[in-house]
């Protein structure tokens, strides 16, 4: 069966599918092409996105559910299914302007912790109240979890509320924190400091694997999850209410022409739309601007950090499952906020990374190269020696906290999770707060659809929840470091140990990250060591380990608002910082035929970290979604 069907063949396909439809709780066994068995689950309520586009709904034998014909997929090394390509067999339309429109009660953008928690909680309420509402979750990654990057120390508080029996249901959460250390690094030493993190009762996990498991739990409740569909636009009605999202067109060439395999995007209409896109979500940013959501509650601007990470397999004798280490100091200078983490996971794997606040001043600073330096520190190098790098990735984090949370409700929906910015900076944790925000939004959504209440109940519930209390207590840690590393340490120690988050004042954030970048003449160029190929690596080598893939012949999803600014402003005034803050070498200045440096955008390298959208000095770069299924392919991360 083709993944996309022409209108003439759709009715035949649906007729054949109806012969297979069973109640959701039933399953029948079938075989995959490699002989492994799987189960098929079918939702009798139609039409769904799957039935309308001619999908089978199939669970793989691992955590990840995928509903496309298995012949169009390949099994990766972890037992999950991954899409070979989302532009192939295509659907023909009777006219070029046709766009399929499919209605759901709730449309959720993003199959991360927040989006899946919202979907699960909403369907739980449907069961409790004997209500029948449809929920669709769209995910731009080729599979659930493909774009989830986090070396995660997981606090299970929200999961305990959402799925209390998770320990009995084979959740991939089985490495409790066994030790918790905090170091201040100089170039040659590691100085032990009192640990403020209190990770007792937490777990070292792969967040990517957790959301795969959550995806299965959501589908068991009747949620329809469709990876490989990138939500590219907000749909409004004549009264400016949000009524859903549109997925982007596929099969479009670089020059904007339609290729032979062109497929028009799909309009997914929802009575309520929840945006759970993660940090710096592109649609969420537009919604916040459109409805002035920050201004509505006098929220400050968001501030961000870039996290760069590798997963290593190390010598068993050096491996200590559950060991957690955080550091401050070297290799970053005293004016740049950030630090490293090193978590011992299961199966001899460790997750190591560096987080650099994007309000750094020096345009010559290169976060990727700072991370390479970190691995050569005498306290870290011995652990990595003899090991093997398994994966590499990067992602931005919200660090604005309490001061930067916008009003999260708009006409027709709400923003949840890291799209709204619920990261607890001193804990370096945001998964549990993102999940809880999704659950609260789901409860408000159910109230709107079932009881006729108002979506503003989400905002009220959020401010009455432990999420708000937690963020309020932590509100002064991040802005304290605006004064530098050592004043920041002193102020944060005062907050933590003396005032315990109850100080009578609230610090403000400094300049937005893009404005914090100084002009190049105020700094000296930084000479970074050449990678040794053992502990440190060049960008192409690391990029290969991210499993990043984009169709080369598609319009660039990284767009310049003014194509002249790179050569007239960024290069002469800031020494071309985009060539350094990007951890995937997307941006390069290369000489043209006249030996003049011109900006070249290698969009196919993009890790979807969003650093460019945040840090560009003139906010000239706009990050938009590429074709669905493109980007990194994280697995153990």
């Amino acid at each position: 069966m083709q993944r996309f069907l022409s209108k003439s063949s759709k009715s035949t396909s649906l007729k054949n599918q109806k012969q297979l439809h069973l109640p959701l709780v039933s399953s029948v066994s079938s075989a995959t092409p490699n002989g492994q068995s799987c189960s098929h689950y079918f939702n009798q309520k139609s039409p769904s996105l799957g039935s309308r586009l001619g999908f089978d709904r199939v669970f793989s034998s691992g955590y990840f559910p995928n509903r496309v014909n298995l012949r169009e997929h390949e099994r990766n090394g972890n037992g999950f299914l991954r899409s070979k390509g989302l532009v192939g067999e295509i659907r023909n339309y009777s006219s070029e302007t046709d766009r399929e429109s499919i209605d759901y009660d709730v449309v959720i953008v993003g199959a991360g912790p927040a989006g899946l928690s919202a979907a699960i909680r909403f369907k739980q309420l449907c069961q409790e109240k004997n209500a029948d509402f449809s929920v669709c979750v769209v995910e731009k990654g080729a599979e659930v979890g493909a774009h989830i990057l986090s070396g995660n120390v997981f606090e299970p508080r929200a999961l305990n509320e959402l799925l209390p029996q998770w320990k009995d249901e084979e959740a991939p959460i089985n490495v409790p924190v066994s030790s918790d250390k905090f170091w201040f690094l100089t170039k040659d030493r590691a100085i032990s400091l009192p640990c403020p993190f209190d990770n007792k009762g937490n777990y070292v996990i792969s967040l990517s694997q957790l959301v795969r498991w959550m995806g299965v739990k959501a589908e068991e409740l009747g949620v329809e999850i469709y990876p490989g569909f990138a939500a590219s636009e907000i749909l409004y009605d004549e009264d400016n209410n949000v009524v859903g999202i549109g997925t982007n067109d596929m099969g479009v060439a670089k020059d904007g022409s339609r290729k032979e395999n062109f497929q028009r995007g799909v309009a997914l209409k929802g009575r309520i739309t929840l945006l759970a896109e993660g940090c710096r979500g592109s649609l969420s940013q537009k919604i916040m601007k459109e409805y002035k959501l920050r201004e509505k509650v006098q929220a400050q601007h968001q501030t961000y950090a870039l996290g760069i990470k590798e997963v290593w397999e190390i010598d068993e004798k050096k491996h200590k499952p559950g060991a957690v280490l955080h550091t401050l100091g070297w290799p970053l200078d005293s004016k740049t906020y950030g630090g490293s983490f090193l978590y011992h996971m299961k199966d001899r794997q460790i997750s190591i990374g560096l987080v650099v606040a994007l309000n750094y001043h020096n345009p010559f600073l290169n976060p990727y190269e700072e991370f390479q330096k970190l691995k050569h520190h005498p306290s870290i190098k011995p652990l990595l020696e003899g090991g093997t790098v398994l994966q590499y990735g990067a992602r931005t984090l919200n660090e604005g906290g309490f001061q930067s949370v916008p009003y999260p409700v708009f006409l027709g929906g709400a923003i949840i999770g890291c799209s709204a910015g619920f990261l607890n900076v001193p804990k370096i944790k945001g998964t549990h707060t993102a999940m809880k925000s999704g659950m609260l939004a789901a409860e408000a959504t159910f109230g709107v659809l079932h009881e006729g209440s108002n979506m503003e109940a989400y905002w009220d519930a959020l401010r009455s929840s432990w999420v708000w209390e937690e963020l309020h207590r932590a509100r002064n840690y991040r802005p304290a470091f605006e004064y530098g590393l050592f004043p920041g340490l002193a102020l944060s120690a005062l907050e933590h140990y003396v005032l315990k988050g109850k100080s009578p004042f609230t610090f403000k954030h400094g300049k937005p990250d893009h404005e914090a970048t100084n002009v190049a003449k105020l700094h000296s160029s930084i000479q970074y060591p050449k990678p040794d190929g053992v502990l440190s690596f060049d960008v192409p080598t690391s990029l290969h380990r991210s499993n990043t893939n984009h169709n080369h012949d598609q319009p660039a999803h990284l767009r310049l608002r003014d194509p002249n600014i790179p050569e007239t402003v960024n290069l002469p005034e800031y020494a071309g910082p985009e060539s350094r803050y990007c951890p995937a070498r997307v941006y390069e200045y290369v000489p043209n035929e006249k030996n003049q440096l011109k900006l070249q955008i290698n969009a196919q390298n993009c890790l979807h970290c969003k650093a460019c959208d945040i840090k560009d000095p003139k906010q000239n770069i706009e990050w938009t979604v590429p074709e669905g299924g493109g980007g990194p392919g994280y697995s153990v991360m």
Side-chain angles (χ1 to χ4, degrees):
M1 185 188 302
Q2 289 184 338
R3 183 166 187 242
F4 299 107
L5 303 173
S6 67
K7 285 187 173 179
S8 61
S9 62
K10 181 167 58 177
S11 59
T12 302
S13 170
L14 291 176
K15 181 179 179 180
N16 293 337
Q17 286 186 27
K18 288 177 181 178
Q19 296 175 2
L20 298 174
H21 278 191
L22 300 169
L24 182 62
V25 296
S26 302
S27 66
V28 293
S29 178
S30 71
T32 64
N34 61 5
Q36 294 186 347
S37 63
C38 60
S39 297
H40 297 256
Y41 293 80
F42 298 98
N43 189 339
Q44 288 181 311
K45 187 172 182 177
S46 59
S48 68
L49 176 59
S51 64
R52 292 285 289 274
L53 296 183
F55 288 11
D56 287 336
R57 303 186 67 216
V58 179
F59 276 18
S60 74
S61 58
Y63 297 132
F64 169 64
N66 201 310
R67 287 146 298 292
V68 188
N69 189 310
L70 290 173
R71 287 176 296 178
E72 303 303 323
H73 285 66
E74 58 188 5
R75 189 172 298 275
N76 65 24
N78 296 301
F80 303 132
L81 297 179
R82 178 177 176 85
S83 174
K84 285 183 178 178
L86 296 168
V87 179
E89 278 77 32
I90 59 99
R91 188 167 187 205
N92 296 317
Y93 287 84
S94 58
S95 74
E96 292 187 348
T97 58
D98 273 350
R99 175 155 74 172
E100 189 76 24
S101 180
I102 306 171
D103 293 334
Y104 287 90
D105 293 305
V106 182
V107 172
I108 301 175
V109 180
L116 291 174
S117 294
I120 290 170
R121 182 65 188 130
F122 183 83
K123 277 297 190 178
Q124 287 174 339
L125 290 168
C126 288
Q127 287 189 343
E128 292 171 13
K129 304 293 185 179
N130 196 29
D132 187 16
F133 295 116
S134 58
V135 182
C136 173
V137 180
V138 291
E139 164 59 39
K140 65 183 173 66
E143 61 184 33
V144 174
H147 290 179
I148 298 293
L149 171 66
S150 176
N152 200 278
V153 176
F154 180 68
E155 183 173 320
R157 184 174 185 176
L159 186 61
N160 289 339
E161 297 178 14
L162 181 66
L163 296 167
Q165 306 303 317
W166 61 265
K167 290 184 179 180
D168 300 323
E169 297 183 6
E170 299 183 347
I173 304 173
N174 42 41
V175 182
V177 172
S178 59
S179 66
D180 205 359
K181 296 180 180 179
F182 185 40
W183 292 349
F184 178 80
L185 298 183
T186 66
K187 186 175 181 180
D188 301 311
R189 295 183 58 199
I191 302 169
S192 183
L193 298 176
C195 186
F197 298 106
D198 189 21
N199 280 311
K200 183 179 179 181
N202 296 335
Y203 296 81
V204 178
I205 69 166
S206 161
L207 190 59
S208 179
Q209 292 180 8
L210 176 62
V211 297
R212 285 165 164 79
W213 177 83
M214 290 179 66
V216 171
K217 295 302 170 186
E219 285 225 338
E220 287 174 351
L221 290 168
V223 177
E224 297 180 12
I225 307 174
Y226 296 100
F229 288 88
S232 60
E233 62 178 307
I234 298 287
L235 305 179
Y236 300 90
D237 65 12
E238 61 276 6
D239 297 319
N240 205 37
N241 295 304
V242 172
V243 294
I245 58 93
T247 67
N248 60 357
D249 295 344
M250 300 173 73
V252 179
K254 274 187 178 182
D255 61 5
S257 63
R258 296 181 176 185
K259 297 186 284 188
E260 290 184 0
N261 58 358
F262 173 78
Q263 179 207 343
R264 186 77 170 93
V266 181
L268 300 177
K269 301 288 187 68
R271 296 166 66 187
I272 296 291
T273 301
L274 301 179
L275 300 180
E277 302 172 283
C279 179
R280 194 75 173 191
S282 52
L283 297 186
S284 302
Q285 291 296 116
K286 292 177 181 178
I287 284 287
M288 282 188 267
K289 185 176 181 180
E290 170 75 18
Y291 291 108
K292 294 180 169 44
L293 298 184
R294 291 199 184 282
E295 293 83 346
K296 192 165 185 176
V297 289
Q298 290 79 52
Q300 294 180 45
H301 61 268
Q302 187 60 259
T303 185
Y304 301 88
L306 174 63
I308 300 173
K309 192 185 80 170
E310 290 174 347
V311 173
W312 285 64
E313 184 178 82
I314 63 170
D315 189 316
E316 188 172 3
K317 295 178 182 178
K318 303 176 185 178
H319 189 238
K320 300 175 182 178
V324 170
L325 169 67
H326 292 97
T327 79
L328 283 176
W330 191 89
L332 301 177
D333 61 63
S334 62
K335 295 182 179 180
T336 302
Y337 178 71
S340 74
F341 60 86
L342 197 158
Y343 307 147
H344 288 246
M345 304 187 291
K346 63 180 182 179
D347 300 329
R348 296 169 46 209
Q349 293 178 5
I350 66 163
S351 171
I352 180 172
L354 180 69
V355 177
V356 181
L358 286 175
N359 66 343
Y360 64 80
H361 305 307
N362 188 345
F364 293 106
L365 188 144
N366 186 318
Y368 177 87
E369 296 294 349
E370 296 288 335
F371 175 52
Q372 302 310 307
K373 284 173 60 178
L374 169 74
K375 292 180 287 181
H376 286 274
H377 191 276
S379 296
I380 294 175
K381 180 179 178 180
L383 180 70
L384 301 180
E385 287 179 324
T388 304
V389 185
L390 302 178
Q391 279 201 318
Y392 163 81
R395 190 68 171 94
T396 49
L397 315 169
N398 304 100
E399 289 198 335
F402 180 81
Q403 293 92 318
S404 300
V405 175
Y407 187 72
V409 179
F410 52 85
L411 296 173
I415 304 174
I416 62 178
C418 287
S419 287
F422 297 117
L423 179 78
N424 183 323
V425 175
K427 276 189 175 184
I428 322 178
K429 294 179 183 66
T431 302
H432 65 301
T433 49
M435 292 175 65
K436 181 63 175 178
S437 74
M439 294 156 62
L440 294 173
E443 291 166 2
T445 298
F446 187 82
V448 171
L449 299 183
H450 189 252
E451 300 161 10
S453 60
N454 196 295
M455 198 64 200
E456 290 179 357
Y458 167 44
W459 177 236
D460 296 334
L462 188 64
R463 289 182 296 166
S464 301
S465 72
W466 54 258
V467 172
W468 203 252
E469 178 188 357
E470 187 173 308
L471 293 182
H472 185 264
R473 286 201 312 268
R475 70 194 184 283
N476 285 332
Y477 288 83
R478 176 64 185 87
F481 285 87
E482 291 287 340
Y483 305 100
L485 176 60
F486 295 107
L489 281 171
L491 287 169
S492 60
L494 177 67
E495 280 282 322
H496 183 77
Y497 294 107
V498 180
L499 299 174
K500 300 184 184 300
K502 297 180 180 179
S503 54
F505 48 82
T506 298
F507 293 146
K508 291 186 177 181
H509 297 304
K511 295 179 180 179
D513 296 338
H514 67 281
E515 293 182 7
T517 311
N518 290 337
V519 293
K521 65 182 180 182
L522 298 179
H523 298 270
S524 299
S525 178
I526 302 174
Q527 300 301 315
Y528 289 101
K530 185 178 180 180
D532 64 2
V534 179
L535 298 181
S536 50
F537 309 94
D538 59 22
V539 173
T541 299
S542 293
L543 194 61
H544 177 74
R545 294 174 176 143
S546 70
N547 298 316
T548 296
N549 181 56
H550 294 89
N551 186 331
H552 287 226
D553 188 18
Q554 64 172 295
H557 65 282
L558 302 161
R559 300 171 184 171
L560 300 179
R561 294 182 172 93
D562 182 343
N564 297 313
I565 282 180
E567 289 82 21
T568 60
V569 179
N570 286 10
L571 187 59
E573 295 188 21
Y574 299 94
E578 57 270 66
S579 64
R580 288 180 290 276
Y581 61 62
C582 174
R585 198 175 290 173
V586 170
Y587 303 94
E588 288 186 290
Y589 282 92
V590 297
N592 62 10
E593 63 279 359
K594 297 180 181 179
N595 209 31
Q596 298 170 326
L597 291 177
K598 296 291 184 180
L599 182 65
Q600 175 177 291
I601 300 179
N602 307 310
Q604 68 274 12
N605 291 359
C606 183
L607 290 168
H608 298 200
C609 77
K610 312 289 183 72
C612 57
D613 196 76
I614 297 164
K615 188 60 174 171
D616 184 74
K618 299 302 178 183
Q619 291 290 273
N620 189 46
I621 299 173
E622 180 185 10
W623 195 98
T624 60
V625 290
E627 285 189 352
Y634 303 128
S635 56
V636 298
M637 304 172 86

